[in-house]
Amino acid sequence: MTDPYASRTPVHEQHLDGFGTVRILPLDPAADGAVVHGWVSEERAAFWGMNGLTRDQVADVYAHMATLGTHHAFLVVKDGEPVALLQTYDPAADRVSECYDTEPGDVGVHVLLAPSGTGGPRPGWTAALSGALMAYVLLGLDRTRIVVDPDVDNEKAIARFLKQGFTAGPAVVLPEVDLPDVYLPEKKAQLAFLRREVAFAG
């Protein structure tokens, strides 16, 4: 099978024995719009906040993000198959900074995993993929701490982060953002943190 993403230059590429090769590609809003729209439109992705948007509207969101120096979106591909959407951001330039004390070296992360497909859930799959994502975010970007802010009701995501070694922070209310180019409703979130020395102990 031909890899449709082979010609694109990754920001990170990592081969994991027994898992495959993970490549993290800068998101192309036009080329990747259909894939991402399919994911964010599913009920399970309700917490992502894009249910009900058209493919063009989703592409517009990411085209706008591509103009920012503080927020970045990536398509994560495993062996030529798209498996996750990764977003990184500077917490100091985000509304989350109003809810906790940011530190130099902090990086904010949002991750949306693709549906598990016809084979159903695969034990160890998410942990392996997350390891590659954390290697890029903490080592590749040379950051010292990840902050995540899943919706307080998104118990599955919160449990996954804690299993990966994150430490739960406070439950907070992220304030509404109402700007000409972006609108974000108020969000009740559970903050969690992962330091580099914990993720890559030893």
Side-chain angles (χ1 to χ4, degrees), residues 5-18:
Y5 301 96
S7 63
R8 290 167 58 175
T9 303
V11 295
H12 180 79
E13 183 169 335
Q14 186 172 349
H15 179 74
L16 302 171
D17 288 342

Side-chain angles (χ1 to χ4, degrees), residues 34 42 62 110 120 130 144 146:
E42 294 187 342
Y62 287 104
H110 298 299
S130 297
T144 53
I146 294 174

Side-chain angles (χ1 to χ4, degrees), residues 158-182:
I158 294 168
R160 187 173 73 235
F161 286 126
L162 296 179
K163 188 176 179 181
Q164 291 166 2
F166 281 75
T167 299
V172 299
V173 177
L174 303 183
E176 177 187 65
V177 174
D178 191 0
L179 300 171
D181 291 317
V182 62

Side-chain angles (χ1 to χ4, degrees), residues 4-79:
Y5 301 96
S7 63
R8 290 167 58 175
T9 303
V11 295
H12 180 79
E13 183 169 335
Q14 186 172 349
H15 179 74
L16 302 171
D17 288 342
F19 183 73
T21 299
V22 176
R23 301 171 76 232
I24 301 177
L25 311 172
L27 188 78
D28 181 329
D32 302 329
V35 169
V36 172
H37 177 252
W39 295 346
V40 302
S41 297
E42 294 187 342
E43 183 57 37
R44 68 180 188 89
F47 292 117
W48 202 256
M50 291 188 179
N51 278 178
L53 296 189
T54 66
R55 174 181 168 177
D56 287 345
Q57 287 172 322
V58 170
D60 286 347
V61 168
Y62 287 104
H64 172 69
M65 188 179 293
T67 68
L68 305 176
T70 55
H71 293 63
H72 306 279
F74 305 92
L75 186 70
V76 184
V77 177
K78 173 189 169 291
D79 297 333

Side-chain angles (χ1 to χ4, degrees), residues 89-92 96 100-109 137-138 142-147 193-195:
Y89 62 93
D90 177 1
V96 74
Y100 87 103
D101 293 328
T102 60
E103 296 179 4
D106 278 1
V107 58
V109 168
V137 172
L138 289 169
D142 192 25
R143 301 299 164 87
T144 53
R145 185 173 69 160
I146 294 174
V147 55
F193 304 90
L194 179 66
R195 292 193 177 276

